Amino acid sequence: MWHKLALFGGCIFLAIAVFGSIRAYSAKIKDVDLSKTTPIVLVHGTHGTANSFNGMISRITETYGKSTDKVIVLVKKDGTLEYQGTLSNKSKNPFIQVVFENNDAPIDQEAAWVATVIKDIQKKYNVTQYNAIGHSNGGLALTTYAEKLADDSAPIMEKLVVIGTPFNDLDGDDNAATTDFTDVANRTTELQQYIDDSTNLDAKLQVLSIAGDLDNNAVSDGVVPVQSALSSRLIFAGNVANYSEEVVTGANAQHSDLHENTTVDGIVADFIY
């Protein structure tokens, strides 16, 4: 009988210890309250990694001094999340970098993962609003999320920056070499879908689209045609509170270098802050 009581008492003690640690962990998570600041969510392009935005984050943090701290949210292939790094109540406009373990997934899948991350940072950090930056297909994932998956219960995307994002795909035949256009040479099915869904966008959203132009001839950044990147105007202009564009030229405007370009840093910082 005594052994049974001792065992029972030990179970109670273990349960209290485990429950207490869970409560302590939950309290620690809830102590991180970002509701009074605006985090910056970053989404890399195809084949991107945790290194994709590291340089930009460091340069903007050091140069402009309006953000502190960063955390990486790794989205595993099964959709589960792993947080790397820590934030605190003292974090100011922290960077939250979304990294896909499967970095070559379809855009709709990436958008669904973005939705999972946004809901999770709302729960963990009490995020109420945020700004977002997407490079290449990361811009497509964020746009797809904004048009199709964001709902009234989610934190508000206040500002969106898309960098070298191929809204009208990559074919030069579909994209004329000009920045002065009211329509692209030929609308792809994907672009038309973005246009059709654009009425779902938050009317208060502010959007900046950055295109790269290697030779200052309105052709491309070496991968994405300038007109494809700027076809964002057909999606956002007139459907959001503010839409603006920037074209960055020169050798450092190559597609994979756009988020390593200090000119782009300045344009992004001026917009998000």
Side-chain angles (χ1 to χ4, degrees), residues 32-71:
V32 180
D33 187 346
L34 301 181
S35 61
K36 298 297 191 293
T37 191
T38 305
I40 301 160
V41 175
L42 306 100
V43 181
H44 61 70
T46 299
H47 300 141
T49 68
N51 294 322
S52 295
F53 277 111
N54 273 347
M56 174 181 278
I57 290 171
S58 296
R59 291 189 305 270
I60 289 179
T61 300
E62 293 171 5
T63 303
Y64 299 93
K66 294 186 178 182
S67 284
T68 63
D69 303 329
K70 68 175 182 179
V71 68

Side-chain angles (χ1 to χ4, degrees), residues 12 174 240 268:
I12 292 176
D174 294 330
V240 296
V268 170

Side-chain angles (χ1 to χ4, degrees), residues 206-222:
Q206 299 181 58
V207 179
L208 168 64
S209 180
I210 300 175
D213 185 3
L214 273 177
D215 299 315
N216 200 21
N217 56 8
V219 175
S220 80
D221 62 11

Side-chain angles (χ1 to χ4, degrees), residues 223-271:
V223 176
V224 177
V226 173
Q227 191 172 81
S228 179
L230 297 185
S231 63
S232 51
R233 71 178 61 159
L234 305 179
I235 300 166
F236 297 106
N239 291 309
V240 296
N242 179 269
Y243 170 77
S244 57
E245 300 172 347
E246 293 281 354
V247 179
V248 178
T249 62
N252 291 333
Q254 195 277 336
H255 184 70
S256 297
D257 291 335
L258 282 170
H259 48 56
E260 301 298 336
N261 187 312
T262 55
T263 298
V264 173
D265 292 347
I267 294 169
V268 170
D270 286 344
F271 181 74

Side-chain angles (χ1 to χ4, degrees), residues 142-155:
L142 285 166
T143 301
T144 300
Y145 166 76
E147 288 190 338
K148 294 183 176 181
L149 301 176
D151 58 46
D152 292 340
S153 67

Side-chain angles (χ1 to χ4, degrees), residues 147-240:
E147 288 190 338
K148 294 183 176 181
L149 301 176
D151 58 46
D152 292 340
S153 67
I156 297 170
M157 183 192 293
E158 294 189 332
K159 296 180 180 180
L160 170 63
V161 182
V162 288
I163 304 173
T165 297
F167 288 103
N168 200 41
D169 215 344
L170 306 178
D171 195 332
D173 291 338
D174 294 330
N175 300 281
T178 178
T179 59
D180 182 19
F181 63 92
T182 56
D183 206 345
V184 295
N186 179 60
R187 292 186 184 183
T188 60
T189 301
E190 291 77 14
L191 174 59
Q192 187 59 55
Q193 190 63 59
Y194 281 115
I195 293 171
D196 291 344
D197 292 334
S198 62
T199 54
N200 297 328
L201 291 165
D202 186 341
K204 295 180 180 179
L205 179 66
Q206 299 181 58
V207 179
L208 168 64
S209 180
I210 300 175
D213 185 3
L214 273 177
D215 299 315
N216 200 21
N217 56 8
V219 175
S220 80
D221 62 11
V223 176
V224 177
V226 173
Q227 191 172 81
S228 179
L230 297 185
S231 63
S232 51
R233 71 178 61 159
L234 305 179
I235 300 166
F236 297 106
N239 291 309
V240 296

